[in-house]
Amino acid sequence: MVTNITNLSRSGLYDWMMQRLSAIVLAAYTLFIAGYILTTPELDYGQWHELFSQVWVRIFSFLALLSLIAHAWVGMWTIATDYLNSRAFGEKSVLIRFPVQLICFIALFSYLVWGIQVIWGL
Amino acid sequence: MNSKRPVNLDITTIKLPLPAYTSILHRLSGILLFAGVGLLIYALELSLASEESFADLQIVMSSGLAKFILWVLLSGLIYHFVAGVKHLLMDAGIGEELESGRIGSIATIVVSAVLIVLAGVWVW
């Protein structure tokens, strides 16, 4: 058993809902980008830059980025607590699980800051 | 904690049904994407920074290795997407029974396999 002090909200139901809502945003964004690329043959820098300079595309991209962070955190947390637990690694499993979650946090936080830089051109 | 509580069964000793494999694949593709997002953000940065970096990215993406990496990431994305849609349908109560769950898993594999092949055609 894992003592759950690292989940997003202390509420499994809220984590579940965040994962689903973020999934819908990410699915919509994936279809949007894939649709744009597939329907724009010979895509050049001008068109691409024009697309991402529109405010609504930036907002949509930023929303997708935030969704990705939340979605990946809940997903990686679930995987970490399902497999890197005391059943698999004994009573000291927290010494394995916590560093993994720390790496996930650092990676996702880096994606967030870096992604904001890219999307908003700071 | 009551130590006599029943524990999860050891999955390595159980013959898993097909939906279990599609679920595990969903998790593995999620881990792949978690790592791959770094590359995607880097590509987006190059594509938007300037006309020169856009051209540089196009040159990089014309190499076989880059195309293969892109295809692997697209495959992960496609599988995660399709299996995720199945998850959302199951949240809505569709495909939760033994037989419909199995059919849903087969559909997930078939649909994503077709899309992954099409993605490969698009990449190359």
Side-chain angles (χ1 to χ4, degrees):
Chain A
M1 158 149 186
V2 167
T3 307
N4 297 329
I5 59 169
T6 51
N7 58 344
L8 195 61
S9 61
R10 306 293 295 121
S11 155
L13 189 61
Y14 182 85
D15 280 9
W16 178 90
M17 187 193 71
M18 283 301 288
Q19 199 175 31
R20 267 61 183 179
L21 289 178
S22 57
I24 291 167
V25 172
L26 288 167
Y29 191 72
T30 303
L31 291 176
F32 167 64
I33 295 293
Y36 181 84
I37 290 175
L38 290 174
T39 55
T40 315
E42 306 299 317
L43 180 64
D44 64 23
Y45 174 73
Q47 288 170 301
W48 187 245
H49 191 264
E50 161 90 24
L51 176 72
F52 278 90
S53 56
Q54 295 176 72
V55 173
W56 74 269
V57 175
R58 290 182 175 202
I59 291 171
F60 194 13
S61 302
F62 186 44
L63 184 64
L65 180 65
L66 290 178
S67 297
L68 181 108
I69 306 298
H71 193 84
W73 177 259
V74 175
M76 296 304 284
W77 180 90
T78 306
I79 290 171
T81 53
D82 272 359
Y83 303 117
L84 308 179
N85 55 20
S86 52
R87 183 166 51 82
F89 291 96
E91 290 305 308
K92 302 268 188 192
S93 63
V94 68
L95 296 177
I96 297 167
R97 191 169 66 252
F98 195 80
V100 168
Q101 292 180 335
L102 185 65
I103 291 167
C104 289
F105 175 80
I106 292 170
L108 290 171
F109 186 71
S110 306
Y111 289 163
L112 176 65
V113 175
W114 186 22
I116 290 172
Q117 270 190 327
V118 173
I119 294 166
W120 296 96
L122 298 174
Chain B
M1 192 182 93
N2 174 10
S3 61
K4 287 192 179 137
R5 274 166 36 141
V7 295
N8 288 340
L9 294 164
D10 179 2
I11 62 166
T12 57
T13 63
I14 307 169
K15 184 181 178 297
L16 294 171
L18 188 64
Y21 286 104
T22 56
S23 171
I24 291 167
L25 262 179
H26 194 198
R27 291 182 163 203
L28 287 175
S29 60
I31 295 172
L32 173 77
L33 291 172
F34 167 73
V37 163
L39 286 174
L40 294 178
I41 295 178
Y42 183 53
L44 184 66
E45 183 175 42
L46 288 177
S47 73
L48 289 173
S50 67
E51 198 142 13
E52 292 74 39
S53 62
F54 186 90
D56 288 344
L57 179 66
Q58 281 184 319
I59 293 166
V60 170
M61 290 316 297
S62 64
S63 81
L65 179 65
K67 286 187 177 202
F68 179 72
I69 292 171
L70 176 66
W71 179 69
V72 169
L73 285 180
L74 285 176
S75 301
L77 181 64
I78 288 166
Y79 183 81
H80 203 78
F81 187 108
V82 175
V85 170
K86 184 178 83 103
H87 254 296
L88 292 174
L89 288 174
M90 289 177 77
D91 286 339
I94 300 164
E96 288 181 320
E97 296 80 20
L98 195 62
E99 192 50 28
S100 61
R102 211 175 64 84
I103 292 168
S105 291
I106 293 170
T108 300
I109 291 170
V110 171
V111 170
S112 40
V114 169
L115 289 174
I116 285 168
V117 170
L118 289 176
V121 172
W122 179 76
V123 169
W124 275 283

